[in-house]
Amino acid sequence: MISIEGLKKIFTTTNNRITAVDDLTLDIAEGEIFGVIGYSGAGKSTFVRLLNRLEEPSAGKIVIDDQELTALSTNQLRVTRQEIGMIFQHFNLLWSRTVKDNIAFPLEIAGMPKRAREDRVQELIELVGLAGREDAYPSQLSGGQKQRVGIARALANRPKVLLCDEATSALDPETTNAILDLLVDINAKLGLTIILITHEMHVIRKICNQVAVMDEGKIVEQGDVLDVFLRPEQHVTKKFVEQVMGTDDDHDGVEKLINTYDSGKIIRLHFVGDTANQALITQIARSFRIDINILQGKITQMQQGAYGTLFVQMDGETDEIARAINYITDETSVEVEVVQDVE
């Protein structure tokens, strides 16, 4: 669907040259929700603006749906941009226009007849959950409602690709989750390819299938979101994963808890993937003659399933504890590590 090869953007000032995007090569599949994450200055916002040529690349090639954007004339690009929607961090709404007039604006530019335009606007209002707010002005809307207008406007010309540049950064956590749920719904209903630019790993965790990590203008790591969480290779990636899962220092409290037990085993359970059994503790307690105490842990849900770690203490007869551990190892996808034998 999207193929990017050797993409580069150099900004030249009086005193120096700044390479914002540096020889970036990437493939994004059709219908995917693809996340690009990086800290401020990593080049991610410049990258997304290159995708629709709001910024002109210094070098490289961008192909979307078999059409090379970097080879298009100005007039050809104007038409092609209708197939690439974009939403922004600060909404970029027209403050003198109502909700319905903001959504209709790109349709007016495209020359759609009034009746067809009105029908399309109403369809989009229903899609993004703004029924009843058609005649409101942006100043009368909450942040989440403004972003819903931005999403509807970006979808007006039925694009094949939706670019989201820090689309939730100005929103509170509850509203962020609502907007992310909306993007997932739109992706499922329309089969739209979504490229989501962010500096927040929990956004990637919640809705993305694939993620690319940017640093100093380059892609330094890429893969399935679950794989990147499981095996982050670069230092910058590890820092992002810590945003969601915490650091090794967070496990220090477990060592103190271990010292309060004088029998049994301390077990670390590592949950991975869509077959991770969330009811495992209950099953173990019911099936085996052992006491099981949860000490500490965190499990988070991603698009591809659960990921996280749980520390537990198992107490009882040695053979029965061994049977419980064998059951977890053999019958579930949960990985087991005996951290300490307290006996």
Side-chain angles (χ1 to χ4, degrees):
M1 172 62 176
I2 301 175
S3 178
I4 302 156
E5 183 179 339
L7 190 63
K8 181 174 287 192
K9 178 62 180 180
I10 300 173
F11 292 101
T12 303
T13 66
T14 304
N15 299 321
N16 60 357
R17 286 158 51 94
I18 300 170
T19 303
V21 175
D22 191 3
D23 196 25
L24 190 151
T25 296
L26 195 62
D27 290 314
I28 299 172
E30 183 176 2
E32 194 163 59
I33 303 181
F34 192 102
V36 178
I37 190 167
Y39 289 109
S40 296
K44 58 190 186 299
S45 289
T46 301
F47 163 66
V48 79
R49 291 171 63 84
L50 290 169
L51 289 180
N52 57 7
R53 280 181 58 185
L54 289 176
E55 292 284 357
E56 287 295 329
S58 304
K61 183 168 68 172
I62 302 168
V63 178
I64 298 180
D65 202 20
D66 296 325
Q67 187 170 43
E68 186 179 343
L69 264 67
T70 38
L72 298 179
S73 67
T74 301
N75 288 336
Q76 291 171 324
L77 181 61
R78 189 176 297 114
V79 174
T80 300
R81 275 200 184 121
Q82 294 181 12
E83 298 182 345
I84 306 172
M86 188 165 183
I87 58 177
F88 305 87
Q89 178 179 358
H90 296 295
F91 320 126
N92 288 17
L93 302 181
L94 299 170
W95 294 90
S96 61
R97 284 178 168 245
T98 63
V99 166
K100 63 184 179 184
D101 290 338
N102 263 282
I103 298 171
F105 186 60
L107 300 174
E108 293 173 20
I109 294 174
M112 180 179 285
K114 183 177 179 181
R115 180 56 186 272
R117 191 165 68 230
E118 290 174 349
D119 289 344
R120 177 62 177 157
V121 167
Q122 193 56 44
E123 179 184 343
L124 289 164
I125 285 172
E126 296 289 340
L127 177 67
V128 300
L130 285 174
R133 303 295 286 161
E134 296 92 332
D135 297 318
Y137 287 88
S139 62
Q140 299 171 312
L141 302 176
S142 68
Q145 289 172 331
K146 290 172 189 172
Q147 195 57 284
R148 288 173 187 269
V149 178
I151 292 170
R153 182 184 58 188
L155 297 176
N157 282 311
R158 304 182 190 277
K160 297 175 181 177
V161 178
L162 180 63
L163 308 178
C164 307
D165 188 9
E166 298 280 9
T168 61
S169 294
L171 305 176
D172 62 75
E174 184 176 352
T175 306
T176 291
N177 284 332
I179 293 298
L180 294 177
D181 288 340
L182 176 60
L183 291 174
V184 171
D185 185 55
I186 288 169
N187 170 258
K189 287 180 178 177
L190 305 182
L192 196 63
T193 303
I194 298 177
I195 301 175
L196 194 149
I197 306 297
T198 185
H199 65 275
E200 299 170 302
M201 197 63 172
H202 73 88
V203 172
I204 299 292
R205 170 193 66 80
K206 185 173 176 64
I207 73 169
C208 293
N209 313 114
Q210 291 267 322
V211 62
V213 182
M214 283 193 72
D215 191 33
E216 297 184 350
K218 297 178 179 290
I219 298 292
V220 297
E221 195 160 348
Q222 179 191 348
D224 290 342
V225 172
L226 188 57
D227 288 342
V228 170
F229 265 77
L230 283 173
R231 291 173 285 274
E233 296 179 359
Q234 303 298 319
H235 176 68
V236 65
T237 310
K238 292 175 183 177
K239 288 174 66 178
F240 279 123
V241 172
E242 287 172 4
Q243 287 182 4
V244 176
M245 299 309 301
T247 67
D248 290 338
D249 292 341
D250 296 334
H251 295 155
D252 288 349
V254 174
E255 304 228 345
K256 296 178 182 178
L257 283 170
I258 288 173
N259 295 330
T260 67
Y261 294 97
D262 56 8
S263 64
K265 296 181 186 292
I266 307 300
I267 311 291
R268 176 160 52 192
L269 304 175
H270 192 46
F271 291 77
V272 181
D274 57 4
T275 58
N277 192 339
Q278 306 258 341
L280 179 64
I281 302 301
T282 301
Q283 286 186 0
I284 296 299
R286 288 175 176 173
S287 302
F288 301 94
R289 296 188 304 278
I290 62 172
D291 294 324
I292 184 165
N293 301 304
I294 298 174
L295 305 183
Q296 181 175 304
K298 184 174 184 179
I299 297 173
T300 189
Q301 193 68 32
M302 305 182 196
Q303 281 293 93
Q304 295 125 315
Y307 166 70
T309 299
L310 198 63
F311 289 90
V312 300
Q313 184 246 4
M314 292 184 182
D315 198 7
E317 296 292 332
T318 301
D319 289 348
E320 196 69 2
I321 293 175
R323 287 183 60 231
I325 292 173
N326 288 338
Y327 170 80
I328 299 171
T329 302
D330 297 340
E331 302 298 332
T332 78
S333 65
V334 179
E335 298 174 9
V336 181
E337 178 188 353
V338 178
V339 177
Q340 185 167 327
D341 196 330
V342 188
E343 297 175 314

